[in-house]
Amino acid sequence: AQSVTQLDSQVPVFEEAPVELRCNYSSSVSVYLFWYVQYPNQGLQLLLKYLSGSTLVKGINGFEAEFNKSQTSFHLRKPSVHISDTAEYFCAVSSGGGADGLTFGKGTHLIIQP
Amino acid sequence: DAGVIQSPRHEVTEMGQEVTLRCKPISGHNSLFWYRQTMMRGLELLIYFNNNVPIDDSGMPEDRFSAKMPNASFSTLKIQPSEPRDSAVYFCASSPGVQGNEKLFFGSGTQLSVL
């Protein structure tokens, strides 16, 4: 079985400040890791994903994430946030072997303060 | 492509009534997923299909819930009878392949309120 823990349910940040959204996972097999973003009243959109190779993954809108196998983490970062980054962010894991669905964390609400 | 299309966008019904949610995946996608989102439980996978065949329905909460995919371009999620605790946003998503590394494309969701 696999699971995802997002340690912060809400993160307030001032505009143009850096941000890190934390994600830890557990799985008995190799995993694929994802970050999705959900803007108000919309479905989820993929920000970035880690499948293999370089542990630093760059995504859309200036976000990046680093896979750390020893710490079973996949934290999301952005060096300078904008008001338009206000949204719910979900970390997700999928087992490396097969065609099962994603297991999502409970989400982190990123609040950008002017 | 128009993306994943869900209908209706909003559904308000009374306890005990049957509710049917509909989903049209992106053409050519081989996998379809139904998720439920609530404040308390976050996003939960209810069921997913590969090539129209249900693969894992262990997330379906009770026998009141059923899902079908009669063809590659249409799926339904039915709740009968509905209860207030079923109130949530229900998302449908599709992906091109059948492997766990594929990106999911989500619909805009159906907001269900059971009174």
Side-chain angles (χ1 to χ4, degrees):
Chain A
Q2 56 202 25
S3 66
V4 177
T5 302
Q6 290 184 246
L7 297 165
D8 306 301
S9 60
Q10 193 167 286
V11 172
V13 181
F14 286 106
E15 197 170 12
E16 298 184 6
V19 69
E20 178 180 86
L21 305 183
R22 296 180 293 170
C23 171
N24 288 89
Y25 69 92
S26 66
S27 176
S28 57
V29 297
S30 61
V31 296
Y32 302 129
L33 294 158
F34 305 78
W35 276 98
Y36 281 80
V37 60
Q38 184 181 29
Y39 299 105
N41 301 312
Q42 294 186 27
L44 280 71
Q45 304 171 36
L46 181 68
L47 268 181
L48 49 80
K49 64 180 179 181
Y50 170 79
L51 303 181
S52 64
S54 173
T55 57
L56 183 62
V57 181
K58 293 190 183 297
I60 62 172
N61 300 341
F63 283 93
E64 63 181 32
E66 186 155 18
F67 170 60
N68 188 320
K69 188 174 182 179
S70 62
Q71 296 186 8
T72 60
S73 68
F74 191 55
H75 301 330
L76 181 71
R77 303 185 184 99
K78 186 170 182 177
S80 175
V81 296
H82 188 265
I83 197 79
S84 60
D85 293 323
T86 297
E88 193 84 16
Y89 291 80
F90 293 91
C91 183
V93 63
S94 174
S95 69
D100 49 355
L102 290 176
T103 298
F104 285 88
K106 291 200 171 180
T108 297
H109 189 196
L110 179 60
I111 302 169
I112 309 301
Q113 301 168 327
Chain B
D1 200 315
V4 176
I5 300 173
Q6 291 187 247
S7 64
R9 283 300 304 272
H10 302 276
E11 176 79 35
V12 181
T13 190
E14 291 187 345
M15 183 173 64
Q17 296 298 306
E18 177 180 299
V19 174
T20 299
L21 312 181
R22 296 172 177 79
C23 175
K24 182 181 187 313
I26 292 173
S27 177
H29 281 194
N30 295 316
S31 296
L32 183 140
F33 306 81
W34 282 101
Y35 283 89
R36 178 173 69 176
Q37 185 179 34
T38 60
M39 290 290 291
M40 291 296 295
R41 302 171 71 92
L43 270 164
E44 303 171 277
L45 177 64
L46 300 178
I47 184 172
Y48 72 93
F49 297 82
N50 286 340
N51 297 318
N52 312 339
V53 176
I55 302 301
D56 183 358
D57 65 354
S58 59
M60 297 286 260
E62 306 171 28
D63 292 344
R64 298 184 296 108
F65 286 69
S66 62
K68 294 182 180 179
M69 192 166 185
N71 56 62
S73 59
F74 184 65
S75 177
T76 60
L77 178 67
K78 185 176 294 185
I79 309 172
Q80 164 65 13
S82 59
E83 296 183 4
R85 59 194 169 114
D86 300 331
S87 297
V89 181
Y90 291 81
F91 286 102
C92 176
S94 69
S95 71
V98 297
Q99 295 300 318
N101 59 356
E102 298 280 359
K103 169 184 175 180
L104 294 188
F105 294 77
F106 281 80
S108 297
T110 295
Q111 173 81 57
L112 173 64
S113 298
V114 183
L115 306 177

